[in-house]
Amino acid sequence: MKPILQILLVLVLAAAANAKEIKLLNVSYDPTRELYQDYNAAFAKYWKAKTGDDVVVSQSHGGSGKQALSVINGLEADVVTLALAYDIDAIAQHGRLLPADWQKRLPNDSAPYTSTIVFLVRKGNPKRINDWDDVVKPGVVAVTPNPKTSGGARWAYLAAWAYALDKYGHDDGKARNFVKRLYKNVPVLDSGARGSTTTFVERGIGDVLLAWENEAHLAIREFGADKFEIVTPPLSILAEPSVAVVDKVAQKHGTAEVAKAYLEYLYSDEGQEIAAKNFYRPRNEKIAARYAANFSRLKLVTLEQEFGSWAKAQKTHFADGGTFDQIYQPE
Amino acid sequence: MKMKTTDMKLKQLMIVTLACLPAGFSALAADGTDTNSPGSSQVAPAPSVEAVEIEALKKEVQELSQKVQNLERQRELEQPAAPDTNQEQIQALDQQVRILERQRELDQENAAALAKTQPRLSLGANGFSLSSADTNFVVALHGVLQADSRTFQKNDNVPGNSSILLRRARPILSGTVFRDFDFLFIPDFGNGTPGAASAATTPSIYDAYVNYRYSPALQIQAGKFKTPIGLEQLQADVNTTFNERSLVTDLVPNRDLGFELHGDIAGGVVSYAAGIFNGVGDARNSSNIGFEDNREFDGRLFVLPFKRTELTALQNLGVGISGGWGEGSITNTLGLPASTGGASSSAGYFTDGQQQFFAYTNGVLADRVHWRLSPQAYYYYGPLSLMGEYVLSDQDVRNGSRSASLRNTAWEVTGGWVLTGEDATFNGVTPKHPFDPRTGQWGAVQVVGRYADLDIDNAAFPFFANPAVSASEAKAWSVGLNWYLNRNILVKASFSRTSFEGGGTSAASAPGSVTSHPEEVFFTRVQLGF
């Protein structure tokens, strides 16, 4: 064997001997399973090429609020990728596992992709549900998870509320009545978005599912366009799922560097493309343009416009004794 | 109901229509004659009353006809609608059923999730325990109760002799906090406490420690607990083969205060322990406080070399060695052996019957170095059990200006066979068929035998012990029957004979009264352990 080959072999063996296997736990919300399966594989490949280390990312999914509570109670997440910023705020506030200003650490307030709430209806749309007004009609059965535990459900609730504000000239009383009528049509509250998809798609309950846009597309992809169709209401809300490194856990595990890189890579072209392929709206405009056909155009209001902040919305609507508790009467 | 109403209206209209038609047509005929007359005036005459009536009737007929047509059309529309209504009702019911099923499904999921977060309560043969859902916090309550009898062939007027006694009455509180910190607390409310005078009845703390468990192989313990010397002594009180441990245990410490690093390596193939203690005399149970500046270092290594091999016959063969070294001072009042079976201030060694056969002379003190060495082994295979141990206890003593280093030694071999076929283990026997005479189940029965010898250094006589009353050697053999009714209840019966060399001068109290003749004692025990 030539000396140069021998040297190369030694270098390769030395690099292999030094390679580490790094384990990360990504605690996420319900409908991101498919997104992060694809993304984890891409990131592992990227990280291996960059550092020579193997990264194995485990995923945990559930209702966003429940997942945040699990992390606060000791689930050792290196990163969290939850449905809304408030749930990560809760981890910062109650678990003291990351700084309160975590949103400033990544672009777009640490929300690398967005989504919205659309309607998934049965093929042919037999109840002719085209707008929020149709969802609240008597006799319509709607399916949505529990806003107390599900981030998607909170976005759906606020989308309906925002629509009603728009319709009734920002009359909060009428908006409240509108949302009350909506939840009168909801007979089952699952704890997470995936559970509600099961209720609607597999259990055959309801006329309309208030769904994450990506979840609606995945349901059609999996169960067939001959069974369901997506209805995009003229107005909905801009949902901004957020991501953060859980500093104390990552430091304890010695994974802070790779956890940070893991989230940063979501903003890369490859990360954005994977998000778009999984029906999340990418932040990157070029990639968004390339996948524009996947996403219907509609008026998207923001949380800040209509509700001020997550803290305020949470306190008013979803905290114990809040508006949701007042208007929802389980049968 | 709606259909019936519609039909009735239709019928009424038809009747009215038919009733009106003849009158209408006759009036129409009369009127027509006048109207079509060629000689009629150019000025239109005023309509006659009949003509007006005819027009009204015509109009009425047209209206009725229209109504009939409308009703017929309505009925046509309503008739095919009936099956649709039924279909909708069926669909609505189907939805209700699905909703109820899903709600039940979610309720079950929620109940299962809730159960995972609830504390767990356990009550069974292993005692009572309460743990957090994640088992990071556990509190367990166990207990030992031993009701014994000792019947001596010859009563030697020794307290505790030939009596029925509560040998041990120990509630055991154990648990875990924050996953890795274990604790154990065992007080004793029984009588005949080793290390104390036989008449002592004061409750005392036997074990009280906290153990940090980094891993099974690396643990550190602090408090009061058994020192890592000996083998028989380290066996739990509920699992000893005979009522009382053998002569060999006279030479090892009972419990002491200290810190110990210990662990099991390779799944228990190797066990180690090393600790620093206050240091106590042979068979002594430490008090809860000590003022000595000196310390004792004890350690033990025990190996089960075949534990993880396919050689099942050798998997429970264990060999080990333990020992300790300590330097004390004459102020250490606990440096000499326990006073069990003798006068309260008389340190010495005692028989299976818990009678003192050797006593140091009053004024003898422990001095300087005390070291011990104990090779040991056990073997369990099926119903067979064998255990053997040798102990050397080298004690520096002083009596006035005289001092000596006394090397006392002891050894023992214990064997057993479970007649009912269960496996014998270091942790006792678990009956395959727990006692239940109603179903013809009688538990497990084990026969046991033991031989033990304790030899006192001849240098102890005459300056440190009185050769007239204290024996220089005790030899004991024992046989017994153990009846394991179930995992919690054990009944024992055994006989033990101890003969002595030296001593023998009859006296009113131990050790002279004990060594004057061989000790023959019949033991029984009813034990509850959970």
Side-chain angles (χ1 to χ4, degrees):
Chain A
M1 193 181 287
K2 291 178 180 176
I4 194 160
L5 284 177
Q6 288 176 333
I7 292 166
L8 279 174
L9 183 62
V10 167
L11 288 173
V12 167
L13 289 173
N18 286 330
K20 292 181 289 186
E21 183 181 285
I22 302 165
K23 291 181 179 175
L24 287 183
L25 175 60
N26 175 7
V27 172
S28 194
Y29 62 107
D30 238 353
T32 57
R33 287 172 175 81
E34 295 76 11
L35 163 65
Y36 281 105
Q37 277 168 14
D38 294 348
Y39 177 74
N40 292 344
F43 177 75
K45 196 174 168 186
Y46 157 75
W47 193 252
K48 177 80 175 172
K50 185 179 178 184
T51 66
D53 293 340
D54 294 312
V55 179
V56 179
V57 185
S58 302
Q59 300 172 217
S60 167
H61 297 274
S64 186
K66 277 180 76 175
Q67 293 290 82
L69 190 61
S70 297
V71 173
I72 292 167
N73 288 336
L75 178 61
E76 295 197 341
D78 299 280
V79 297
V80 285
T81 54
L82 296 179
L84 43 96
Y86 179 80
D87 289 333
I88 302 180
D89 281 339
I91 296 170
Q93 187 180 347
H94 303 298
R96 300 187 182 281
L97 299 173
L98 68 163
D101 63 347
W102 60 270
Q103 271 188 292
K104 294 178 184 170
R105 299 193 297 194
L106 288 170
N108 305 110
D109 287 334
S110 294
Y113 41 78
T114 67
S115 188
T116 189
I117 301 298
V118 298
F119 304 152
L120 186 70
V121 298
R122 303 199 184 280
K123 188 65 183 174
N125 195 0
K127 291 287 177 83
R128 292 174 189 164
I129 294 163
N130 296 307
D131 204 346
W132 291 98
D133 285 317
D134 302 318
V135 180
V136 303
K137 281 180 181 169
V140 169
V141 175
V143 175
T144 181
N146 188 341
K148 293 275 201 177
T149 54
S150 161
R154 269 174 278 177
W155 286 117
Y157 173 104
L158 294 176
W161 195 286
Y163 170 81
L165 287 176
D166 186 66
K167 181 179 178 181
Y168 297 115
H170 284 78
D171 184 328
D172 260 332
K174 286 181 178 172
R176 174 193 170 103
N177 190 46
F178 183 86
V179 176
K180 184 176 182 178
R181 283 162 58 205
L182 188 154
Y183 278 93
K184 198 173 178 185
N185 288 350
V186 179
V188 176
L189 285 179
D190 289 270
S191 63
R194 189 52 58 91
S196 280
T197 304
T198 301
T199 297
F200 183 75
V201 173
E202 295 182 36
R203 302 292 185 271
I205 293 170
D207 305 305
V208 54
L209 172 68
L210 311 185
W212 284 100
E213 186 175 42
N214 65 294
E215 185 79 347
H217 280 286
L218 286 176
I220 285 185
R221 185 194 280 177
E222 188 172 344
F223 295 98
D226 57 328
K227 293 190 178 75
F228 304 100
E229 58 188 78
I230 294 172
V231 172
T232 306
L235 183 148
S236 192
I237 197 161
L238 180 70
E240 296 177 288
S242 303
V243 301
V245 174
V246 184
D247 294 26
K248 285 196 177 172
V249 176
Q251 283 160 12
K252 178 184 168 187
H253 293 173
T255 55
E257 182 193 358
V258 67
K260 181 168 175 277
Y262 178 77
L263 296 185
E264 287 172 347
Y265 197 65
L266 283 166
Y267 292 87
S268 70
D269 285 356
E270 187 178 19
Q272 291 284 290
E273 186 134 355
I274 290 169
K277 281 179 182 170
N278 282 276
F279 303 103
Y280 289 87
R281 296 179 178 228
R283 293 286 194 181
N284 183 308
E285 288 180 3
K286 282 184 186 172
I287 292 167
R290 200 182 307 153
Y291 287 88
N294 280 359
F295 305 105
S296 300
R297 298 179 74 84
L298 73 165
K299 183 181 176 185
L300 290 173
V301 298
T302 67
L303 178 97
E304 287 74 18
Q305 282 172 351
E306 301 294 338
F307 304 98
S309 67
W310 259 117
K312 193 176 168 192
Q314 177 73 22
K315 187 179 176 186
T316 305
H317 295 278
F318 308 119
D320 287 345
T323 309
F324 176 74
D325 281 345
Q326 295 165 26
I327 64 173
Y328 180 68
Q329 302 291 332
E331 291 180 0
Chain B
M1 191 61 116
K2 193 176 178 183
M3 292 290 296
K4 278 185 179 177
T5 310
T6 310
D7 283 347
M8 283 179 71
K9 281 183 181 173
L10 193 59
K11 280 179 185 174
Q12 285 169 355
L13 282 168
M14 294 291 283
I15 291 164
V16 170
T17 305
L18 292 170
C20 291
L21 279 176
F25 283 126
S26 60
L28 190 63
D31 186 51
T33 306
D34 289 343
T35 306
N36 295 330
S37 161
S40 60
S41 172
Q42 289 182 352
V43 178
S48 64
V49 175
E50 290 81 3
V52 172
E53 286 177 351
I54 287 168
E55 278 304 313
L57 282 169
K58 275 184 179 176
K59 195 176 175 183
E60 194 175 348
V61 167
Q62 281 173 352
E63 285 174 359
L64 287 169
S65 173
Q66 187 63 45
K67 281 185 179 176
V68 168
Q69 284 177 5
N70 289 344
L71 285 168
E72 282 176 344
R73 199 177 301 126
Q74 187 180 341
R75 192 172 65 170
E76 283 170 5
L77 288 171
E78 286 177 350
Q79 276 173 345
D84 285 349
T85 304
N86 290 339
Q87 191 64 33
E88 283 171 8
Q89 285 177 342
I90 290 167
Q91 282 177 352
L93 286 171
D94 175 65
Q95 279 288 299
Q96 286 299 318
V97 170
R98 286 169 186 264
I99 288 166
L100 288 170
E101 282 179 349
R102 181 62 172 157
Q103 280 173 338
R104 196 182 63 169
E105 196 178 352
L106 292 176
D107 286 346
Q108 286 171 344
E109 285 175 9
N110 289 337
L114 187 65
K116 287 179 185 171
T117 65
Q118 297 298 302
R120 297 173 192 171
L121 183 66
S122 170
L123 182 61
N126 289 328
F128 167 84
S129 72
L130 184 65
S131 72
S132 60
D134 57 8
T135 68
N136 284 347
F137 293 84
V138 181
V139 173
L141 182 63
H142 307 280
V144 179
L145 182 69
Q146 294 172 340
D148 287 13
S149 76
R150 297 172 190 158
T151 306
F152 290 77
Q153 291 296 93
K154 184 175 181 182
N155 192 319
D156 300 305
N157 297 319
V158 176
N161 192 331
S162 278
S163 67
I164 298 171
L165 66 151
L166 208 52
R167 179 66 175 87
R168 292 181 178 88
R170 298 180 183 176
I172 301 171
L173 184 68
S174 64
T176 300
V177 294
F178 285 96
R179 188 185 61 194
D180 300 327
F181 295 88
D182 305 319
F183 65 88
L184 181 70
F185 179 70
I186 307 180
D188 187 21
F189 298 89
N191 201 348
T193 308
S198 57
T201 56
T202 308
S204 58
I205 295 172
Y206 266 66
D207 294 272
Y209 66 77
V210 175
N211 180 62
Y212 171 65
R213 182 172 19 83
Y214 178 78
S215 70
L218 188 61
Q219 305 181 52
I220 187 162
Q221 190 164 296
K224 183 178 180 182
F225 46 91
K226 289 181 177 179
T227 50
I229 300 182
L231 177 63
E232 199 182 37
Q233 170 62 19
L234 297 179
Q235 196 170 32
D237 294 320
V238 290
N239 298 323
T240 55
T241 310
F242 289 88
N243 276 25
E244 302 297 341
R245 292 180 173 88
S246 72
L247 293 167
V248 80
T249 298
D250 281 7
L251 299 187
V252 300
N254 190 311
R255 283 161 172 88
D256 203 354
L257 290 160
F259 300 89
E260 180 184 273
L261 188 70
H262 66 108
D264 293 330
I265 300 169
V269 171
V270 177
S271 298
Y272 75 92
I276 179 170
F277 299 88
N278 276 341
V280 289
D282 295 339
R284 281 275 188 191
N285 186 8
S286 162
S287 65
N288 300 329
I289 191 168
F291 298 101
E292 299 304 313
D293 293 332
N294 299 315
R295 298 288 177 260
E296 181 173 306
F297 302 91
D298 297 325
R300 180 172 183 260
L301 185 69
F302 197 80
V303 183
L304 290 121
F306 304 102
K307 183 175 182 177
R308 299 178 73 177
T309 69
E310 300 295 319
L311 301 169
T312 52
L314 297 176
Q315 282 175 345
N316 288 311
L317 170 65
V319 293
I321 188 161
S322 61
W325 182 92
E327 194 166 24
S329 68
I330 56 172
T331 59
N332 186 356
T333 55
L334 296 177
L336 285 180
S339 58
T340 303
S344 60
S345 61
S346 181
Y349 299 114
F350 49 93
T351 64
D352 290 2
Q354 306 298 289
Q355 300 188 108
Q356 197 173 66
F357 68 90
F358 171 85
Y360 281 105
T361 307
N362 282 340
V364 175
L365 299 167
D367 187 24
R368 299 197 309 267
V369 173
H370 186 182
W371 64 273
R372 301 179 181 94
L373 190 68
S374 169
Q376 53 200 252
Y378 67 55
Y379 176 66
Y380 294 93
Y381 183 59
L384 174 67
S385 60
L386 288 171
M387 180 190 289
E389 182 179 1
Y390 173 86
V391 176
L392 182 158
S393 174
D394 192 297
Q395 171 79 69
D396 287 350
V397 292
R398 173 180 292 275
N399 190 0
S401 60
R402 294 181 183 276
S403 63
S405 179
L406 303 181
R407 184 168 296 184
N408 305 321
T409 59
W411 63 274
E412 68 97 11
V413 176
T414 302
W417 184 266
V418 183
L419 299 174
T420 44
E422 284 86 348
D423 288 344
T425 73
F426 189 68
N427 298 315
V429 175
T430 301
K432 286 178 184 168
H433 306 291
F435 179 76
D436 185 358
R438 286 181 289 274
T439 57
Q441 295 188 170
W442 300 97
V445 177
Q446 179 186 36
V447 289
V448 291
R450 180 172 75 192
Y451 185 83
D453 180 291
L454 195 159
D455 186 31
I456 306 293
D457 193 325
N458 289 334
F461 305 100
F463 299 111
F464 305 98
N466 181 359
V469 294
S470 288
S472 62
E473 186 172 9
K475 299 175 181 175
W477 61 263
S478 309
V479 291
L481 199 68
N482 296 335
W483 181 18
Y484 298 85
L485 278 74
N486 50 48
R487 285 178 63 187
N488 301 118
I489 303 292
L490 169 61
V491 176
K492 287 179 175 179
S494 64
F495 176 80
S496 181
R497 185 176 196 279
T498 306
S499 56
F500 308 99
E501 285 186 15
T505 302
S506 183
S509 61
S513 62
V514 174
T515 56
S516 63
H517 56 274
E519 175 192 88
E520 293 178 345
V521 57
F522 180 70
F523 296 92
T524 66
R525 168 169 290 174
V526 176
Q527 172 180 290
L528 167 69
F530 63 92

